[in-house]
Amino acid sequence: MPVRIAPSMMCADLWRLAEQVHELEAAGSDLLHFDLMDGRFVPNMPMGLGVLEALRPHTGLPFDVHLMVTDNDFFIERLLPIGVQQIAVHAESAVHLDRTLSLIRSHGVAAGVALNPATPPTALHYVLDRLDFVLVMTVNPGFAGQTLVPSALRKIADTAAFLRVQGRDIPIAVDGNVSFEHIPAMVAAGADILVGGTSSVFHPGASPAANIARMRRAIAEGLAQRQEVRP
Ligand code: DX5
Ligand code: ZN
């Protein structure tokens, strides 16, 4: 499957968000990643439901929502009428994970599970049939601008291997410090969706368009390495 780029909207210029969305669309973004936090599951709250609602009419790009909240179902119920295309909930916060994934899917929205750095891919085992994608956190969730956790690349590769063995060919999204330098190794390890924040899409000093073009070159490098490993 082609590797997709998902700009992390909490890292965008929030004063001119609609304009920035148009720039990202023109630059070839594949989807827009929205980090919704409640100040409890993670100690931060950069944007709320109203921002997604306000932006929805301005773009046709799919909305990819990453919930970092304690009450997932509350947010899911409110996201559905806005019109989002995929929602990931954290395995660590969803008490009734199976039911929550079914809820997302029953409305025709792609359901994903996000895994904190310490959570193994085997946490997905009994919900594989309910799952459309996996979101591997390569930093501890909540804040932009962090450094990759040491286990990140191994975790991506282990998740890819786990899904392969289980016969589930679903995309692996990676989120956190997805930098130009890390992208080749992340893609070689099996990343299919790259969430780009301050490390790439919104890297200071260049436009999102120039940064996305640079990401595409890094992706090509990673795909070549992936083929060398698995011809
Ligand atoms: C972390 C967020 C990420 C973050 C990634 O909780 O989910 O989307 O913004 O951005 P950088 O590239 O700054 O790590
Ligand atoms: Zn995220």
Side-chain angles (χ1 to χ4, degrees):
M1 62 184 95
V3 175
R4 288 175 282 166
I5 293 177
S8 173
M9 299 311 291
M10 69 178 271
C11 302
D13 185 349
L14 298 180
W15 288 107
R16 47 179 206 94
L17 205 46
E19 200 183 312
Q20 202 96 108
V21 164
H22 292 139
E23 281 172 33
L24 292 167
E25 197 164 3
S29 299
D30 297 293
L31 54 171
L32 298 178
H33 182 88
F34 292 94
D35 289 306
L36 289 187
M37 312 182 192
D38 64 354
R40 282 194 71 195
F41 179 65
V42 290
N44 199 6
M45 199 188 282
M47 56 172 51
L49 292 160
V51 174
L52 277 74
E53 199 173 358
L55 277 181
R56 187 62 286 186
H58 290 279
T59 175
L61 285 176
F63 278 18
D64 164 40
V65 182
H66 175 192
L67 289 180
M68 282 161 274
V69 301
T70 48
D71 190 346
N72 290 290
D73 294 7
F74 169 88
F75 281 88
I76 293 164
E77 299 283 4
R78 279 152 189 83
L79 283 167
L80 294 171
I82 294 173
V84 304
Q85 283 60 47
Q86 52 186 59
I87 302 177
V89 297
H90 267 267
E92 307 81 11
S93 80
V95 178
H96 303 289
L97 183 60
D98 182 89
R99 189 159 66 204
T100 296
L101 295 172
S102 302
L103 171 68
I104 296 170
R105 270 187 157 184
S106 68
H107 293 272
V109 175
V113 170
L115 301 174
N116 274 342
T119 306
T122 49
L124 307 169
H125 204 147
Y126 296 107
V127 290
L128 283 173
D129 294 335
R130 304 262 196 231
L131 214 50
D132 298 299
F133 67 102
V134 180
L135 180 58
V136 173
M137 291 308 300
T138 44
V139 299
N140 285 291
F143 298 93
Q146 303 181 78
T147 307
L148 209 66
V149 294
S151 59
L153 294 174
R154 188 156 47 91
K155 175 77 166 287
I156 299 167
D158 287 350
T159 305
F162 174 74
L163 293 174
R164 206 163 39 241
V165 168
Q166 298 299 326
R168 288 293 280 129
D169 187 20
I170 54 175
I172 298 176
V174 294
D175 189 3
N177 198 199
V178 180
S179 65
F180 302 116
E181 295 71 26
H182 293 144
I183 287 171
M186 286 173 152
V187 169
D192 302 297
I193 298 173
L194 306 177
V195 178
T198 61
S199 312
S200 51
V201 175
F202 299 103
H203 195 272
S207 67
N211 285 334
I212 286 174
R214 194 173 163 193
M215 288 174 82
R216 296 271 178 220
R217 293 194 291 275
I219 289 170
E221 214 181 297
L223 285 173
Q225 287 175 31
R226 198 194 278 186
Q227 275 149 19
E228 281 165 27
V229 178
R230 283 200 306 275

